Amino acid sequence: QVVELISSAIGDLVQGIYYENSKSAEEDCLTDDIGISTWKEQVFLSHSALLAKSCQAAMELAKHSAEIQDMAFQYGKHMSMSHKLHSDLQPFVKESSSDSMAFSLNSAPAVLHQEFLGREAWIKQIREPCQNPPPCTSVFWQLREAIKAGKGVTSAIDLCRCHGNRALAALERFPPSEARAALANIVYAVTRFP
């Protein structure tokens, strides 16, 4: 069963990375209307499945019940989602971030910004500065500032904390221990913002 779990996690990872790479090769990838639910599915495949299924496999090896295995899976899944959201948010929340700090247009804040703004306005926001392009870093900076000014960043922070709380809720099913406290501290570290 453990081999099956890890094999399926590797399969999910490969599928997620393949999807990401095939999308980035397309010309329209900058204006993809993926939505946050699709973003979550992609992140689960490419980031969360391996940790979630590894946590579940560890509980299987320790001969824990199916319920405990599921709680371990939930912890891994939600902690990994929080970590990815935290990572995606760094270019938008770091106080010392330089004007040229890179971010992906497929990051959670950008995807949420696109959802709130609407597809047509999003495409216009990306393409308009490119008509008479100033230096590339200036266009990039303008887009980052527009995303920061919208609801995408605050919504991504809320989503990060939501997944963190779900990871902590899964941990509550385990008896208090140093290991549980350490796992909780990991969640606290990725859900704390300036």
Side-chain angles (χ1 to χ4, degrees):
Q1 191 174 352
V2 169
V3 171
E4 225 173 83
L5 275 170
I6 300 303
S7 297
S8 71
I10 293 169
D12 291 341
L13 179 68
V14 169
Q15 182 182 346
I17 291 171
Y18 175 79
Y19 184 78
E20 282 177 8
N21 289 340
S22 67
K23 291 308 270 181
S24 64
E26 293 176 14
E27 283 185 29
D28 269 0
C29 71
L30 295 182
T31 57
D32 260 359
D33 187 16
I34 66 168
I36 198 65
S37 60
T38 304
W39 180 89
K40 285 181 182 182
E41 290 169 18
Q42 291 174 4
V43 167
F44 176 77
L45 290 172
S46 60
H47 291 81
S48 302
L50 185 58
L51 182 60
K53 291 179 179 180
S54 295
C55 290
Q56 181 181 355
M59 295 301 100
E60 168 66 26
L61 286 172
K63 305 289 186 214
H64 284 288
S65 68
E67 183 187 356
I68 294 296
Q69 289 178 39
D70 184 56
M71 289 301 105
F73 177 92
Q74 295 303 321
Y75 170 79
K77 173 185 174 181
H78 293 293
M79 199 292 297
S80 183
M81 294 294 279
S82 287
H83 181 268
K84 176 64 172 145
L85 284 154
H86 185 268
S87 174
D88 279 4
L89 279 157
Q90 290 313 295
F92 303 97
V93 299
K94 265 194 171 175
E95 296 197 12
S96 62
S97 67
S98 66
D99 287 352
S100 61
M101 189 169 187
F103 68 92
S104 167
L105 291 179
N106 290 323
S107 66
V111 169
L112 286 162
H113 176 73
Q114 176 185 348
E115 277 194 352
F116 286 116
L117 196 61
R119 183 156 171 74
E120 294 305 315
W122 170 244
I123 292 170
K124 184 177 178 186
Q125 202 168 53
I126 291 172
R127 293 192 173 153
E128 204 168 66
C130 297
Q131 303 303 321
N132 300 306
C136 187
T137 55
S138 176
V139 173
F140 199 71
W141 181 85
Q142 288 173 2
L143 194 53
R144 190 182 76 194
E145 291 306 304
I147 293 169
K148 281 172 75 171
K151 295 179 185 175
V153 172
T154 54
S155 295
I157 290 172
D158 291 344
L159 188 59
C160 179
R161 289 181 174 147
C162 175
H163 281 289
N165 289 336
R166 291 175 79 178
L168 292 172
L171 276 182
E172 290 297 316
R173 303 300 302 269
F174 294 90
S177 66
E178 281 185 28
R180 187 179 104 170
L183 292 171
N185 284 336
I186 295 170
V187 176
Y188 298 139
V190 297
T191 55
R192 192 175 301 128
F193 295 94

